[in-house]
Amino acid sequence: MKKITIAIDGHSSCGKSTMAKDLARRLGYIYVDTGAMYRCVTLYALRHNLFLEDGTIKTEELEARMPDIRISFQLNSETGRPDAYLNGECVEQEIRSLEVSNHVSPIAALPFVRTAMVAQQQEMGKGGGVVMDGRDIGTVVFPHAELKVFVTASAEVRAQRRYDELLQKGMPADYDDILKNVLERDYIDSHREVSPLRQADDALLLDNSHMTIAEQNEWLMQRVEELGISILETGNWR
């Protein structure tokens, strides 16, 4: 059975991960959350005091520590979805905090961080049968992916989604702070020198500002079926 590589890129908090996880489960593909990988690096940097008081990163120290940062994903038997692990510790909840969100974009913009993460991502996805979401999957990690989707939504909608998600998890949240963070991340992600966020020339655009999860999943499945890919409704996670 033919297995392809599916790249889902787009802005922060626009539902890429939810979409990619659901699609991978239905196809029986491996799912890799690349955004979680950069969040893991950010959490590591925060835990090891690699930020100065003004938010500047101690880049030399972080670069020297990169070989010590090991990221993996393991299936959560309760949720049926993969959790992110940093050096063997489950950090799925910690990496979703606003503190990590406020620091992840400058970490992700560092060339040596991106080089290390892209190498891990390409290793995870070699051979096809993978759904991967992030900022540069269709442009850098897998430029020859058979299906590329670029997802977006208005900043206000994305901030509200993030706010609701944090509240559901019982975590502190302030809508105005989250909206500010969304706008700042959009700017940094789109203007960084290395692998800036952009829509690949051959990527399909999906604006899900006014779509339900079910509607966007149906849209995506139609695109997959157009390629002649079978839907298995089974899971296969890494």
Side-chain angles (χ1 to χ4, degrees), residues 215-227:
E215 288 172 340
Q216 70 178 14
N217 286 348
E218 179 61 26
W219 181 93
L220 187 58
M221 288 310 305
Q222 291 177 1
R223 306 291 84 77
V224 171
E225 290 172 347
E226 289 170 359
L227 295 175

Side-chain angles (χ1 to χ4, degrees), residues 43-192:
L43 180 63
Y44 181 95
L46 287 167
R47 286 180 169 181
H48 290 80
N49 300 313
L50 299 182
F51 286 95
L52 299 175
E53 291 186 3
D54 63 358
T56 302
I57 304 167
K58 300 178 183 179
T59 54
E60 291 186 2
E61 291 186 39
L62 177 58
E63 185 170 13
R65 289 173 175 263
M66 286 304 296
D68 299 327
I69 301 177
R70 300 180 300 279
I71 300 167
S72 59
F73 296 93
Q74 295 182 30
L75 180 65
N76 183 318
S77 58
E78 294 183 0
T79 65
R81 294 185 172 185
D83 288 338
Y85 281 71
L86 172 60
N87 293 335
E89 174 194 355
C90 181
V91 293
E92 184 64 29
Q93 181 166 333
E94 289 85 345
I95 63 174
R96 308 299 175 182
S97 69
L98 186 58
E99 182 181 23
V100 170
S101 295
N102 285 334
H103 290 84
V104 66
S105 286
I107 287 286
L110 293 172
F112 63 84
V113 173
R114 300 207 70 83
T115 296
M117 294 300 100
V118 167
Q120 290 191 37
Q121 292 156 15
Q122 290 175 332
E123 178 64 23
M124 292 177 181
K126 66 180 181 181
V130 64
V131 180
M132 194 172 292
D133 72 271
R135 302 289 191 280
D136 60 351
I137 310 306
T139 56
V140 176
V141 183
F142 291 113
H144 302 298
E146 290 88 343
L147 177 60
K148 301 178 186 179
V149 178
F150 189 88
V151 190
T152 190
S154 70
E156 291 75 15
V157 167
R158 289 184 283 134
Q160 186 64 51
R161 289 173 179 171
R162 183 64 176 154
Y163 174 80
D164 293 340
E165 178 185 6
L166 291 174
L167 289 184
Q168 290 174 0
K169 293 181 177 180
M171 301 174 69
D174 181 276
Y175 174 81
D176 292 333
D177 288 344
I178 294 173
L179 178 59
K180 178 182 178 182
N181 172 254
V182 166
L183 293 171
E184 289 177 346
R185 290 183 65 187
D186 284 353
Y187 183 85
I188 293 175
D189 291 345
S190 300
H191 290 80
R192 64 188 180 215

Side-chain angles (χ1 to χ4, degrees), residues 3-5 28-31 125 127-131 236:
K3 289 192 174 182
I4 66 173
T5 297
Y29 278 20
I30 294 168
Y31 166 71
V130 64
V131 180
N236 180 22

